[in-house]
Amino acid sequence: MVHYIIVITLLALGLAPHCLSSKTVGGGYLYPQFYDHSCPKAQEIVRNVVAKAVAKEPRMAASLLRLHFHDCFVKGCDASILLDSSGSIISEKRSNPNRNSARGFEVIDEIKAVMEKECPHTVSCADIVALAARDSTVLTGGPSWEVPLGRRDARGASLSGSNNNIPAPNNTFQTILTKFKLQGLDIVDLVALSGSHTIGNSRCTSFRQRPYNQSGNGQPDNTLDQSYASQLRRNCPRSGGDQNLFFLDFVSPIKFDNSYFKNLLANKGLLNSDQVLFTKNGESRELVKTYAYNQ
Protein backbone atom coordinates (compact mmCIF):
# COMPACT_ATOMS: atom_id res chain seq x y z
CA MET A 1 0.00 0.00 0.00
CA VAL A 2 2.92 2.32 0.58
CA HIS A 3 3.42 3.31 -3.06
CA TYR A 4 -0.18 4.28 -3.53
CA ILE A 5 -0.47 6.28 -0.35
CA ILE A 6 2.63 8.22 -1.37
CA VAL A 7 0.79 9.34 -4.49
CA ILE A 8 -1.38 11.78 -2.56
CA THR A 9 1.71 13.52 -1.19
CA LEU A 10 3.03 13.95 -4.72
CA LEU A 11 -0.04 15.83 -5.93
CA ALA A 12 1.64 19.06 -4.92
CA LEU A 13 4.23 18.75 -7.69
CA GLY A 14 3.32 21.62 -9.95
CA LEU A 15 -0.06 22.10 -8.31
CA ALA A 16 0.78 24.55 -5.52
CA PRO A 17 1.93 27.74 -7.25
CA HIS A 18 1.58 30.28 -4.45
CA CYS A 19 3.54 31.15 -1.32
CA LEU A 20 2.16 32.86 1.77
CA SER A 21 4.38 32.16 4.76
CA SER A 22 7.55 30.52 3.52
CA LYS A 23 10.49 32.66 2.47
CA THR A 24 12.64 29.74 1.42
CA VAL A 25 10.38 27.95 -1.02
CA GLY A 26 11.58 28.11 -4.61
CA GLY A 27 9.90 26.96 -7.78
CA GLY A 28 11.72 23.63 -8.06
CA TYR A 29 10.82 20.05 -7.36
CA LEU A 30 9.82 18.80 -3.95
CA TYR A 31 12.31 16.61 -2.09
CA PRO A 32 12.38 15.08 1.41
CA GLN A 33 15.55 16.92 2.49
CA PHE A 34 14.15 20.37 1.76
CA TYR A 35 14.45 21.60 5.38
CA ASP A 36 17.56 19.65 6.40
CA HIS A 37 19.61 22.84 6.73
CA SER A 38 17.00 25.59 7.18
CA CYS A 39 14.98 23.76 9.85
CA PRO A 40 16.52 20.38 10.72
CA LYS A 41 14.01 19.68 13.51
CA ALA A 42 10.95 20.30 11.31
CA GLN A 43 9.87 16.69 10.93
CA GLU A 44 10.57 15.94 14.59
CA ILE A 45 8.37 18.85 15.67
CA VAL A 46 5.46 17.66 13.54
CA ARG A 47 5.86 14.09 14.78
CA ASN A 48 5.93 15.09 18.44
CA VAL A 49 2.87 17.38 18.32
CA VAL A 50 0.86 14.87 16.28
CA ALA A 51 1.81 12.05 18.68
CA LYS A 52 0.61 14.11 21.64
CA ALA A 53 -2.67 14.98 19.88
CA VAL A 54 -3.39 11.38 18.85
CA ALA A 55 -2.55 10.08 22.34
CA LYS A 56 -5.12 12.52 23.72
CA GLU A 57 -7.73 11.69 21.08
CA PRO A 58 -7.12 8.68 18.80
CA ARG A 59 -9.70 9.95 16.29
CA MET A 60 -7.39 12.89 15.52
CA ALA A 61 -5.16 10.67 13.37
CA ALA A 62 -7.96 10.14 10.87
CA SER A 63 -8.93 13.81 11.01
CA LEU A 64 -5.41 14.96 10.09
CA LEU A 65 -5.15 12.41 7.28
CA ARG A 66 -8.52 13.54 5.92
CA LEU A 67 -7.46 17.20 6.19
CA HIS A 68 -4.54 16.49 3.83
CA PHE A 69 -6.81 14.64 1.38
CA HIS A 70 -9.38 17.45 1.34
CA ASP A 71 -6.59 19.98 0.84
CA CYS A 72 -4.95 18.10 -2.03
CA PHE A 73 -8.14 17.66 -4.05
CA VAL A 74 -8.59 21.45 -4.24
CA LYS A 75 -5.86 23.41 -6.04
CA GLY A 76 -3.21 20.87 -4.98
CA CYS A 77 -1.59 20.29 -1.56
CA ASP A 78 -1.22 23.99 -0.73
CA ALA A 79 -2.93 24.37 2.67
CA SER A 80 -5.78 26.36 1.13
CA ILE A 81 -8.12 24.42 3.45
CA LEU A 82 -6.60 26.28 6.42
CA LEU A 83 -7.54 29.76 5.21
CA ASP A 84 -10.43 31.57 6.90
CA SER A 85 -12.77 33.88 5.02
CA SER A 86 -11.21 37.32 4.61
CA GLY A 87 -11.43 39.97 1.94
CA SER A 88 -11.77 38.15 -1.38
CA ILE A 89 -11.28 34.72 0.24
CA ILE A 90 -14.29 32.48 0.88
CA SER A 91 -13.02 29.72 3.13
CA GLU A 92 -13.10 26.08 2.02
CA LYS A 93 -14.11 25.31 5.60
CA ARG A 94 -17.62 26.39 4.57
CA SER A 95 -17.95 23.79 1.80
CA ASN A 96 -20.30 20.81 2.09
CA PRO A 97 -17.46 18.27 2.58
CA ASN A 98 -15.82 20.38 5.32
CA ARG A 99 -18.57 22.23 7.19
CA ASN A 100 -19.05 20.78 10.71
CA SER A 101 -16.77 17.98 9.55
CA ALA A 102 -13.15 18.98 8.84
CA ARG A 103 -11.09 18.76 12.04
CA GLY A 104 -7.56 19.09 13.32
CA PHE A 105 -6.98 22.77 12.61
CA GLU A 106 -5.89 23.40 16.20
CA VAL A 107 -3.22 20.69 15.89
CA ILE A 108 -1.83 22.31 12.74
CA ASP A 109 -1.89 25.67 14.56
CA GLU A 110 0.08 24.19 17.47
CA ILE A 111 2.66 22.67 15.13
CA LYS A 112 3.02 25.98 13.30
CA ALA A 113 3.50 27.87 16.59
CA VAL A 114 6.29 25.54 17.72
CA MET A 115 7.82 25.64 14.24
CA GLU A 116 7.87 29.45 14.15
CA LYS A 117 9.81 29.52 17.44
CA GLU A 118 12.33 27.01 16.12
CA CYS A 119 12.80 28.44 12.60
CA PRO A 120 10.65 31.49 11.77
CA HIS A 121 9.19 31.99 8.28
CA THR A 122 10.67 28.75 6.97
CA VAL A 123 8.30 25.77 6.97
CA SER A 124 5.09 26.04 4.96
CA CYS A 125 1.74 25.06 6.41
CA ALA A 126 1.23 22.88 3.33
CA ASP A 127 4.25 20.79 4.28
CA ILE A 128 3.06 20.61 7.89
CA VAL A 129 -0.31 19.21 6.77
CA ALA A 130 1.42 16.65 4.52
CA LEU A 131 3.79 15.52 7.29
CA ALA A 132 0.97 15.34 9.84
CA ALA A 133 -0.96 13.00 7.53
CA ARG A 134 2.02 10.68 7.19
CA ASP A 135 2.73 10.69 10.93
CA SER A 136 -0.94 10.02 11.72
CA THR A 137 -0.85 6.95 9.48
CA VAL A 138 2.32 5.64 11.10
CA LEU A 139 1.05 6.27 14.64
CA THR A 140 -2.02 4.13 13.98
CA GLY A 141 0.03 1.21 12.65
CA GLY A 142 0.06 2.03 8.95
CA PRO A 143 2.99 2.27 6.53
CA SER A 144 5.51 5.09 6.49
CA TRP A 145 6.76 6.96 3.45
CA GLU A 146 9.18 9.76 2.67
CA VAL A 147 7.29 13.03 2.25
CA PRO A 148 8.63 15.26 -0.53
CA LEU A 149 8.83 18.80 0.90
CA GLY A 150 8.95 22.37 -0.36
CA ARG A 151 5.26 23.10 -0.98
CA ARG A 152 4.10 26.69 -1.13
CA ASP A 153 1.15 27.95 0.87
CA ALA A 154 -1.93 29.17 -0.98
CA ARG A 155 -2.90 32.82 -1.12
CA GLY A 156 -6.45 31.94 -2.02
CA ALA A 157 -9.09 29.29 -1.47
CA SER A 158 -11.71 27.69 -3.71
CA LEU A 159 -15.11 27.03 -2.18
CA SER A 160 -16.43 25.71 -5.50
CA GLY A 161 -13.40 23.44 -5.89
CA SER A 162 -13.98 22.03 -2.43
CA ASN A 163 -17.66 21.45 -3.16
CA ASN A 164 -17.10 19.91 -6.59
CA ASN A 165 -13.73 18.12 -6.52
CA ILE A 166 -13.86 16.11 -3.29
CA PRO A 167 -15.66 12.75 -3.65
CA ALA A 168 -18.95 12.70 -1.75
CA PRO A 169 -20.27 9.75 0.31
CA ASN A 170 -23.19 9.12 -2.04
CA ASN A 171 -21.44 9.71 -5.36
CA THR A 172 -21.66 6.94 -7.95
CA PHE A 173 -18.57 4.85 -8.58
CA GLN A 174 -18.01 6.53 -11.94
CA THR A 175 -18.27 10.02 -10.45
CA ILE A 176 -15.72 9.15 -7.77
CA LEU A 177 -13.33 7.64 -10.31
CA THR A 178 -13.69 10.71 -12.54
CA LYS A 179 -12.83 13.00 -9.62
CA PHE A 180 -9.70 10.94 -8.96
CA LYS A 181 -8.70 10.97 -12.63
CA LEU A 182 -8.98 14.76 -12.67
CA GLN A 183 -6.20 14.72 -10.03
CA GLY A 184 -4.02 12.44 -12.15
CA LEU A 185 -4.93 9.38 -10.07
CA ASP A 186 -6.18 6.03 -11.38
CA ILE A 187 -8.43 3.23 -10.18
CA VAL A 188 -5.63 1.61 -8.16
CA ASP A 189 -5.03 4.90 -6.35
CA LEU A 190 -8.76 5.20 -5.71
CA VAL A 191 -9.05 1.83 -4.01
CA ALA A 192 -5.76 2.13 -2.10
CA LEU A 193 -6.45 5.64 -0.81
CA SER A 194 -10.02 4.71 0.15
CA GLY A 195 -8.33 2.27 2.51
CA SER A 196 -7.59 5.23 4.78
CA HIS A 197 -11.19 4.72 5.93
CA THR A 198 -9.75 1.96 8.09
CA ILE A 199 -9.53 4.68 10.78
CA GLY A 200 -11.90 7.45 11.79
CA ASN A 201 -15.59 8.20 12.02
CA SER A 202 -18.42 9.37 9.83
CA ARG A 203 -21.57 11.26 10.70
CA CYS A 204 -25.05 9.80 10.42
CA THR A 205 -25.93 12.44 7.82
CA SER A 206 -23.25 11.03 5.48
CA PHE A 207 -24.80 7.57 5.14
CA ARG A 208 -28.42 7.85 6.36
CA GLN A 209 -29.86 7.00 2.96
CA ARG A 210 -28.26 3.53 2.97
CA PRO A 211 -30.30 1.88 5.76
CA TYR A 212 -33.52 3.73 4.85
CA ASN A 213 -33.90 5.04 1.31
CA GLN A 214 -30.90 4.41 -0.96
CA SER A 215 -32.75 4.58 -4.28
CA GLY A 216 -35.63 6.87 -3.35
CA ASN A 217 -38.07 3.98 -2.96
CA GLY A 218 -38.09 3.85 0.84
CA GLN A 219 -35.93 0.72 0.84
CA PRO A 220 -32.43 0.18 2.27
CA ASP A 221 -29.42 -0.30 0.02
CA ASN A 222 -29.68 -3.90 -1.21
CA THR A 223 -25.88 -4.24 -1.06
CA LEU A 224 -25.89 -3.54 2.69
CA ASP A 225 -25.65 -6.50 5.06
CA GLN A 226 -29.01 -6.70 6.88
CA SER A 227 -27.64 -7.17 10.39
CA TYR A 228 -25.22 -4.29 9.86
CA ALA A 229 -28.10 -2.15 8.55
CA SER A 230 -30.01 -2.86 11.77
CA GLN A 231 -27.04 -1.68 13.82
CA LEU A 232 -26.88 1.54 11.83
CA ARG A 233 -30.59 2.24 12.27
CA ARG A 234 -30.32 1.95 16.05
CA ASN A 235 -28.13 5.05 16.32
CA CYS A 236 -28.87 6.81 13.05
CA PRO A 237 -32.61 7.59 13.06
CA ARG A 238 -34.57 8.40 9.92
CA SER A 239 -34.56 12.03 11.05
CA GLY A 240 -32.44 13.81 13.64
CA GLY A 241 -29.11 12.69 15.03
CA ASP A 242 -27.22 14.08 12.05
CA GLN A 243 -23.98 14.44 14.02
CA ASN A 244 -24.08 10.95 15.58
CA LEU A 245 -20.73 9.29 14.87
CA PHE A 246 -20.05 5.81 13.49
CA PHE A 247 -16.75 4.03 12.94
CA LEU A 248 -15.83 3.79 9.26
CA ASP A 249 -14.24 0.44 10.13
CA PHE A 250 -16.13 -1.11 13.05
CA VAL A 251 -13.64 -3.99 13.40
CA SER A 252 -10.49 -1.98 14.23
CA PRO A 253 -11.48 1.71 14.16
CA ILE A 254 -8.22 3.16 15.46
CA LYS A 255 -5.80 0.74 13.80
CA PHE A 256 -4.50 1.30 10.27
CA ASP A 257 -4.91 -2.17 8.75
CA ASN A 258 -6.81 -3.88 5.93
CA SER A 259 -9.99 -4.75 7.83
CA TYR A 260 -11.71 -1.92 5.90
CA PHE A 261 -11.37 -4.03 2.75
CA LYS A 262 -12.51 -7.18 4.55
CA ASN A 263 -15.63 -5.29 5.63
CA LEU A 264 -16.40 -4.47 1.99
CA LEU A 265 -16.27 -8.19 1.12
CA ALA A 266 -18.91 -8.74 3.84
CA ASN A 267 -21.09 -5.87 2.52
CA LYS A 268 -20.38 -3.89 5.68
CA GLY A 269 -18.86 -0.76 4.21
CA LEU A 270 -20.31 2.26 6.01
CA LEU A 271 -20.45 4.79 3.18
CA ASN A 272 -21.96 4.19 -0.21
CA SER A 273 -18.67 5.49 -1.65
CA ASP A 274 -16.91 2.64 0.20
CA GLN A 275 -19.21 -0.22 -0.80
CA VAL A 276 -19.39 0.71 -4.50
CA LEU A 277 -15.68 -0.13 -4.76
CA PHE A 278 -16.76 -3.77 -4.39
CA THR A 279 -20.17 -3.77 -6.05
CA LYS A 280 -20.02 -1.48 -9.07
CA ASN A 281 -16.80 -2.21 -10.98
CA GLY A 282 -14.99 -5.46 -11.77
CA GLU A 283 -11.45 -4.06 -11.71
CA SER A 284 -12.12 -2.22 -8.46
CA ARG A 285 -13.69 -5.37 -6.97
CA GLU A 286 -10.53 -7.39 -7.66
CA LEU A 287 -8.37 -4.70 -6.09
CA VAL A 288 -10.52 -4.74 -2.96
CA LYS A 289 -10.04 -8.52 -2.78
CA THR A 290 -6.27 -8.13 -3.20
CA TYR A 291 -6.02 -5.74 -0.28
CA ALA A 292 -8.48 -7.76 1.84
CA TYR A 293 -6.52 -10.97 1.42
CA ASN A 294 -3.05 -9.49 1.95
CA GLN A 295 -2.26 -7.07 4.78
Side-chain angles (χ1 to χ4, degrees):
M1 259 173 111
V2 178
H3 168 74
Y4 303 111
I5 297 173
I6 290 174
V7 172
I8 201 74
T9 71
L10 296 178
L11 282 171
L13 282 172
L15 290 178
H18 306 301
C19 182
L20 182 63
S21 63
S22 177
K23 289 180 179 176
T24 63
V25 177
Y29 289 106
L30 309 185
Y31 55 100
Q33 299 78 25
F34 189 85
Y35 298 112
D36 279 8
H37 298 295
S38 60
C39 192
K41 291 186 178 179
Q43 297 202 42
E44 179 185 341
I45 289 169
V46 176
R47 187 166 55 249
N48 289 343
V49 176
V50 170
K52 185 177 69 173
V54 172
K56 182 180 178 181
E57 183 193 10
R59 180 187 173 203
M60 187 54 68
S63 297
L64 291 170
L65 182 56
R66 183 174 185 259
L67 201 62
H68 183 42
F69 183 83
H70 280 212
D71 180 36
C72 290
F73 263 57
V74 185
K75 300 166 72 256
C77 310
D78 62 358
S80 60
I81 194 171
L82 304 182
L83 295 173
D84 293 321
S85 296
S86 174
S88 62
I89 296 173
I90 302 176
S91 177
E92 292 168 20
K93 296 175 184 178
R94 296 170 56 180
S95 70
N96 291 327
N98 294 328
R99 189 172 58 247
N100 300 321
S101 174
R103 305 172 74 248
F105 298 108
E106 71 281 4
V107 179
I108 302 301
D109 287 345
E110 183 179 350
I111 296 169
K112 184 65 173 174
V114 176
M115 201 77 77
E116 285 303 299
K117 288 181 180 178
E118 177 70 24
C119 29
H121 310 300
T122 301
V123 180
S124 68
C125 290
D127 280 338
I128 289 173
V129 173
L131 287 167
R134 188 270 310 276
D135 293 342
S136 294
T137 302
V138 174
L139 280 165
T140 48
S144 183
W145 63 93
E146 274 199 321
V147 179
L149 300 168
R151 291 164 187 76
R152 301 178 177 193
D153 287 335
R155 291 185 181 277
S158 176
L159 181 66
S160 61
S162 188
N163 276 322
N164 298 324
N165 296 4
I166 297 171
N170 208 31
N171 279 160
T172 65
F173 175 85
Q174 193 54 53
T175 297
I176 297 167
L177 181 59
T178 297
K179 289 180 176 181
F180 269 73
K181 286 182 175 179
L182 288 172
Q183 304 294 341
L185 301 169
D186 63 20
I187 193 168
V188 180
D189 303 316
L190 163 58
V191 178
L193 290 168
S194 295
S196 66
H197 282 178
T198 185
I199 55 175
N201 301 70
S202 183
R203 298 174 298 160
C204 172
T205 185
S206 296
F207 63 85
R208 174 180 282 120
Q209 81 288 346
R210 295 197 72 212
Y212 293 108
N213 189 28
Q214 177 65 31
S215 303
N217 59 1
Q219 298 298 313
D221 186 339
N222 59 14
T223 68
L224 185 63
D225 177 83
Q226 290 187 6
S227 64
Y228 185 52
S230 296
Q231 292 177 38
L232 300 184
R233 283 191 287 267
R234 279 200 290 272
N235 291 302
C236 183
R238 195 178 289 269
S239 62
D242 286 1
Q243 306 302 316
N244 291 357
L245 293 175
F246 289 75
F247 293 129
L248 285 158
D249 167 10
F250 67 93
V251 174
S252 53
I254 59 174
K255 183 181 179 185
F256 201 107
D257 57 18
N258 67 337
S259 57
Y260 162 84
F261 295 107
K262 294 177 182 178
N263 294 340
L264 299 187
L265 299 189
N267 293 315
K268 294 180 180 180
L270 181 63
L271 305 179
N272 179 70
S273 55
D274 295 323
Q275 197 61 52
V276 293
L277 299 179
F278 187 66
T279 59
K280 296 298 184 182
N281 180 275
E283 186 179 357
S284 173
R285 182 186 182 95
E286 292 308 309
L287 287 164
V288 169
K289 289 180 181 178
T290 298
Y291 289 129
Y293 296 150
N294 190 328
Q295 169 66 25

